[in-house]
Each structure stands twice: as structure tokens, then as C-alpha cells.
Amino acid sequence: MGAERVSLKEKFHIGRRIAGRAGRFARRTVTAPLAALASLRANVPERLLIAPQDLRTTDATIASEIYSGYFALAGKVVNLRGVSPFDAVAPSANWARALASFGWLRHLRAADTALARANARALVSDFLNRSEKPDHSSAWEARVAVRRTLSFLSQSPIILENADRAFYRRFMRALMRLQYFLERQVATGRIEGEERLFAAISLAELGLCAQVSASVQRRSTRLLAAELARQIRPDGGHISRAADTLVRLLLDLLPLRQAYAARAVPAPPELLNAIDRMLPMLRLLLHGDGALALFNGMGVTPVDALATVLAYEDPRAKPLINAPYSGYQRVESGDSVLIVDSGGPPPPEFSTRAHAGTLSFEFSVGPQRLIVNCGAPDSELVAARGAARTTAAHSTLVLDDTSSCRFARNEGWEKWLGDEIISGPREVHVERQIQPGKTRLVLSHDGYKTRFGFIHERLLTISADGLRLDGEDRLKSVSKKSKTYPFAIRFHIHPSIQVYGVLEGQAALLDLPDGTRWIFSAQDEPIEIEESIFFAVPDGSRASQQLVIYRAADEALSVAWSLRAFMAKEEEEALEDVD
């Protein structure tokens, strides 16, 4: 569909956002020169006191590849052929960012050889010769500067071992330039969203690792505490509602907690409480196969990183099944797991990766996922990212082929608001009912109320043994509009499952890799089997299928459907008309 007319109320909110950004730009234009002058007066610390742990996995064989001139970053491999990596033509913007982030230093440290140490120091020196001072290259994007700060600190032992005083001094000066740069970015509002928290983490870690004044350390700790309080919800979710953000944050927050302990400096309560809440939140979003549910920008699960951070979870922690602040629900019955998106879009500055998937769900049995969402593709696939964010890419109801959220990119506001969501469900109702032999979720959202005059209501009921999931989708009219709109209820199937139409199109048979079978049916409704796409695979995407129920919305309408496992052999034999 083309862009719809924006209401006066939406225009008002958009105008406020644009005006706010203009104000922040004006403030940083005035304050940036003053901040730069202040940074010139600061002293460079003499040395580093500690080096925090890097929890990311390492591979010592990559060290030999780097020494041989092969840099494999962000899915691209470059053969340098004797050229400095910092002079090479980057095959992609993400490759250039990964190079300047220096996360690959951990592989050199894992090799633990004199050659690897010398190579690490030479490469850092090579970079400083070209990009020691802030410029307009990708190396000085705020998010890249954050990662470089954390990498330099955690890998400082391999960089500084046997280094002469001149190089040590230059390295410390480079760290201070990163500190001043990030402090200015935060103070002038250049960093928004989750990147402000990552910047706060890097500044707090630098304040602990370097021999800086107590006032600098206290300032960075206050910033960290403020951002954690703002961005981590009471139930442990991140305000962006993105699961992979939790993983990335924990990879940095856990070593930071250790750094506070190593320096015998009291960690802010916000840090300790955030970690304790975030780990159970990750468990809520976890399927039996070890993958995270595909909501709000989640793509391929970083299995190694996820396993690393979950190892820090307190075994006494209670399992989380209800996350009202983050907007997720989990029901475990038998071997089955039902995970539901029961929240609206996050605040605008945190919504650039969020999806229009309110009331969508995923369903798995043991290690096998059955019903999924399409997930998020690689960040460089802009067109695919846009498609993956739509409601149609989720297992839920889609009214008039329109998403329940409106995106700035689709409405002509990209220049000012980027990929933000400009409107979406404001009221999402959730009720959890424990009934004899089953658990029921009663949900609704008003994302279609303003444009179409309908509320989407969804009932999801799972049996105590987990072998049956019953659903009912309703469109409730809340206006005097008489127009009838078409709608579709979509159920995206995991690509490992074979799908067949049975009972003359009134049901669909799902063959699982382990040989078990499930059947999907709807009350007197034909079920279409259509193509879909699954983005959450390492190689980019995989063809899959989806089940779709088509209807037209009138004043009062509901569609009931069910997904159940076969319990008896004779029941399977009754399905002789497999298409």
C-alpha cells in the first residue's frame, strides 16, 4: 500500500520530535567547542591499572590469518596483499566499522605468541598513524569509538606488553581522546538510544581501568547508573524490546561488574540490579533449541555469546514467564513453549529496529520450532529489513495488508526521523488465566483503531500437556464506519518443517524432522499454504512456508483455529487425501 494520510495528532508528535532534534543540534553546535577546549586541558593518565575480561569467544587460528593478511569481518574477507588494512578498500561499511572497532584483537591475544603480540601492537600503531584524532570517517562514529575503547582496554595486555614508553604514552593519549570524544557525544546529544548506554559502559570501564581522578570515575559511574535506570525495565528487558540488545549489553556489563570489584570500588546498585533482572528476561525469550524468539530486530541467535552470559545466571533465580514492562509472555506446558509479543512499540529513539509484531507469537516443542516470525536480516539489507518489520512478517492478524505500526521511512519522514516508528498500538491489554488443564492468554491491541476502527483481540489457550494450542482472533468494531476490510491471519512455519494441505484445504499437516506430526485447522475456514522467508539463518535467508486464513472484517468477526499433535495412529491414517 502507499503512504496513508497522517492525522493532525500524528503530525503534532512528529513536529515535536523534529523540533527536539533541531534543539539538540543547536546545543551541541554551541557546546562542542567549549568541550573541546576543556579536553585539551585534561591530563593524560600515566598507566592502566587493570584490564577487564572480554567474554566474547576467541579463535587462535584467526591470528595466523590476520598475520597472513586476511581480514574476515562482518561476513566479508579481504586479502590485503601487503597493504595496511586501514588503507584497503572496505568491501562494506560494516567491514570498515568492524576493523576500526578492534574486536578482532582478542583472537591475537588468544594465540598468546610473541608474533601475535608484536602484530597487535603494530596494527594499533598503524591505525593511530591514520586516525588517532576524531574525523568524519566511520572509525569515529560513536558506536565504533565505543567498541574500540572497550577493545583497547580488554586487550591492553597484548598491546602494551614490552612496549616502549613512547608507545605506551601514545596509547594512553588515544584512550583519553576516545574518552573526551564520547563524553562530548553524550553531553551534546549526538548519541541516542541504546548507544548512550554502551557509551556510558565504555566511559565507566575506562574510569576504572585508567589512573584517572576520583571525580572522573564518579562522573562516569553517575552516567552509567542514570542510563541503566532509564533503559533497563523493572522486568529486565531493554527499553528497545530487542533480545539481542540484552545479550550485547551483558557481554559488557558482566566484565564491568568485575572491574568494579577488582578496583574495590562500589558498583552502582543500578548495575547489579540490571544484571540480575536481564538474565531471567533472556530465559523468557528462549526456545528449546537454544534460539531466541524472533521479535523486534532479533535475527540469528549468537549461540556462543548467549551461552556465555547465561552461565552467570543465579541458579536460584525464578523463571520469568510474565514481562509486563517489556511486553512479553511465556507459557511452558509439557515440552511446548509459547512466547507472545504483548507490547506496543518502544519510545521513538529506541524504535529504529522495532517490528510491528504486536500479538504475534512463536511456538516450539522441545528442540523444534513450529510457528515463528520471519526474523531480522543483516543490517545492510535495507529493503529486506523494511519487509521484515511489517506485521505481515509475523504470526498474527494483518488488516487490509497494513502494518499495525507506521514507519517514518514509509511515510516520507526518513530524512528527519530515520527508521523510527511514528505511531503504533498505544493500548495493549494482557490477561493471563490459569484454568483447569490449560493456560489462556487474553490479549488485544488498538493499532488499527484510528485508521480502520477495529481492535484486534486474540485468545491463545495451551493445554497442560502442551499438545494442543487453540487460538481465536477477533476484530471488534469501535466506530460507526461501515466499510469492510480484508484481513489475513498468518502463521509462519519454521523452514525445517514440511507442510502439506489435507482435508481438501481445510487443514494443514506439519511434518517435523523427528518424525512427529502436528495438524493445523480452522473452524470452517480454508487454509492457504503460501511462500514465506526465514531471515534468522547465518547465510542470510531461507525459503519457508506460511499458513494463511483470509477473511473480510465486518462489524463483529472471530476466527477460531487450533494446532495439535497427533495422538493415535488411526488418526493419521484417516488423512489419506494429503495433497
Side-chain angles (χ1 to χ4, degrees):
M1 292 185 63
E4 300 173 58
R5 187 167 59 88
V6 180
S7 69
L8 289 176
K9 188 174 183 179
E10 288 173 331
K11 287 182 178 179
F12 173 74
H13 287 296
I14 291 170
R16 287 184 60 185
R17 292 185 211 171
I18 294 174
R21 289 196 169 183
R24 289 193 294 272
F25 176 79
R27 287 195 299 274
R28 64 179 178 244
T29 300
V30 173
T31 58
L34 298 176
L37 288 174
S39 71
L40 292 175
R41 293 195 299 267
N43 295 322
V44 176
E46 287 294 322
R47 62 193 180 99
L48 292 177
L49 302 174
I50 61 172
Q53 184 181 8
D54 190 339
L55 297 182
R56 292 164 178 81
T57 55
T58 60
D59 185 349
T61 62
I62 295 178
S64 60
E65 295 176 2
I66 292 174
Y67 183 74
S68 300
Y70 288 90
F71 274 75
L73 304 169
K76 306 287 185 181
V77 181
V78 172
N79 181 358
L80 298 176
R81 303 183 187 280
V83 177
S84 167
F86 307 105
D87 291 333
V89 177
S92 71
N94 282 344
W95 187 93
R97 294 185 182 104
L99 177 68
S101 296
F102 281 85
W104 43 269
L105 280 175
R106 69 185 187 275
H107 303 301
L108 295 177
R109 188 178 182 187
D112 195 25
T113 64
L115 179 61
R117 289 188 285 273
N119 196 20
R121 188 159 54 252
L123 288 167
V124 170
S125 179
D126 201 18
F127 171 80
L128 295 181
N129 287 337
R130 292 161 173 79
S131 303
E132 184 174 3
K133 298 180 180 180
D135 54 31
H136 296 293
S137 69
S138 60
W140 283 95
E141 292 179 9
R143 54 179 167 165
V144 178
V146 165
R147 299 313 326 162
R148 186 162 65 253
T149 302
L150 294 171
S151 296
F152 277 2
L153 291 172
S154 61
Q155 307 310 326
S156 57
I158 190 176
I159 299 171
L160 298 176
E161 185 175 341
N162 297 324
D164 57 38
R165 179 171 176 78
F167 180 83
Y168 201 120
R169 183 72 173 172
R170 186 184 187 192
F171 183 75
M172 294 304 299
R173 188 166 58 246
L175 282 174
M176 289 305 100
R177 280 202 173 98
L178 284 166
Q179 176 194 336
Y180 307 147
F181 172 78
L182 292 174
E183 285 182 339
R184 290 198 303 272
Q185 297 289 303
V186 170
T188 57
R190 289 176 183 267
I191 302 181
E192 295 184 329
E194 65 187 51
E195 292 304 328
R196 284 183 66 89
L197 178 49
F198 282 106
I201 292 170
S202 67
L203 290 170
E205 193 163 283
L206 182 55
L208 291 167
C209 295
Q211 198 175 33
V212 298
S213 67
S215 62
V216 170
Q217 189 180 98
R218 288 194 297 269
R219 184 173 71 236
S220 63
T221 295
R222 286 196 300 269
L223 174 63
L224 173 70
E227 286 302 320
L228 285 170
R230 185 169 77 103
Q231 296 195 32
I232 304 302
R233 310 310 300 268
D235 53 25
H238 186 258
I239 194 171
S240 68
R241 308 189 64 231
D244 61 334
T245 298
L246 290 178
V247 178
R248 292 186 293 113
L249 281 171
L250 284 166
L251 286 173
D252 293 332
L253 290 174
L254 290 166
L256 180 59
R257 182 177 65 178
Q258 294 173 340
Y260 274 103
R263 287 293 313 277
V265 175
E270 292 85 355
L271 171 61
L272 305 178
N273 293 337
I275 292 174
D276 289 342
R277 297 195 305 267
M278 292 163 71
L279 290 166
M281 184 67 208
L282 274 178
R283 291 282 185 190
L284 183 149
L285 295 168
L286 195 63
H287 283 292
D289 65 349
L292 291 167
L294 302 175
F295 301 109
N296 292 303
M298 188 65 215
V300 180
T301 296
V303 178
D304 52 349
L306 179 62
T308 298
V309 299
L310 288 178
Y312 286 82
E313 186 177 19
D314 186 344
R316 299 168 297 178
K318 295 182 180 180
L320 186 65
I321 59 173
N322 178 16
Y325 297 95
S326 299
Y328 291 108
Q329 295 286 321
R330 178 186 181 93
V331 181
E332 294 185 30
S333 296
D335 291 332
S336 299
V337 173
L338 172 69
I339 307 174
V340 183
D341 181 342
S342 57
E349 68 179 283
F350 295 96
S351 69
T352 56
R353 296 174 59 233
H355 290 191
T358 304
L359 301 198
S360 64
F361 75 93
E362 294 199 342
F363 181 76
S364 60
V365 180
Q368 179 59 59
R369 284 179 283 172
L370 279 73
I371 307 296
V372 294
N373 297 311
C374 292
D378 184 270
S379 60
E380 292 189 347
L381 302 176
V382 177
R385 281 184 61 214
R389 298 178 75 190
T390 64
T391 303
H394 298 76
S395 294
T396 188
L397 181 146
V398 186
L399 182 57
D400 199 27
D401 197 25
T402 303
S403 290
S404 58
C405 293
R406 302 175 75 165
F407 303 97
R409 180 180 294 273
N410 297 341
E411 306 291 342
W413 298 98
E414 179 185 3
K415 179 180 179 181
W416 297 275
L417 301 177
D419 288 328
E420 287 185 7
I421 290 177
I422 59 177
S423 69
R426 291 181 175 271
E427 295 185 11
V428 183
H429 171 80
V430 183
E431 182 181 350
R432 193 181 186 103
Q433 301 175 350
I434 308 299
Q435 302 177 354
K438 58 188 176 184
T439 299
R440 171 173 289 178
L441 297 177
V442 182
L443 313 116
S444 67
H445 79 77
D446 64 347
Y448 292 121
K449 178 180 177 180
T450 301
R451 289 172 286 173
F452 300 100
F454 286 98
I455 299 291
H456 175 204
E457 298 179 338
R458 167 163 266 188
L459 276 65
L460 298 172
T461 306
I462 186 170
S463 60
D465 58 11
L467 297 177
R468 184 181 181 101
L469 174 65
D470 290 291
E472 183 177 356
D473 285 286
R474 304 169 181 165
L475 282 170
K476 178 182 177 182
S477 177
V478 291
S479 73
K480 297 181 179 179
K481 295 181 180 180
S482 58
K483 186 175 180 180
T484 298
Y485 299 97
F487 73 87
I489 310 174
R490 301 184 179 276
F491 305 85
H492 296 272
I493 309 300
H494 192 271
S496 65
I497 294 177
Q498 298 294 318
V499 183
Y500 306 95
V502 296
L503 301 178
E504 298 181 347
Q506 298 297 306
L509 190 65
L510 280 59
D511 274 354
L512 279 59
D514 63 1
T516 59
R517 286 179 152 186
W518 286 65
I519 189 167
F520 180 92
S521 61
Q523 187 176 21
D524 300 323
E525 300 288 347
I527 297 169
E528 303 291 335
I529 301 176
E530 299 181 356
E531 294 180 350
S532 182
I533 187 168
F534 188 73
F535 290 115
V537 289
D539 57 357
S541 64
R542 185 177 301 174
S544 59
Q545 294 176 293
Q546 61 177 311
L547 308 177
V548 189
I549 302 171
Y550 289 103
R551 285 289 297 271
D554 49 30
E555 289 299 315
L557 180 74
S558 67
V559 175
W561 49 266
S562 69
L563 177 66
R564 57 188 175 87
F566 282 123
M567 300 300 295
K569 183 176 180 180
E570 55 268 21
E571 189 174 18
E572 294 193 42
E573 293 175 347
L575 297 173
E576 298 178 352
D577 61 337
V578 176
D579 295 341

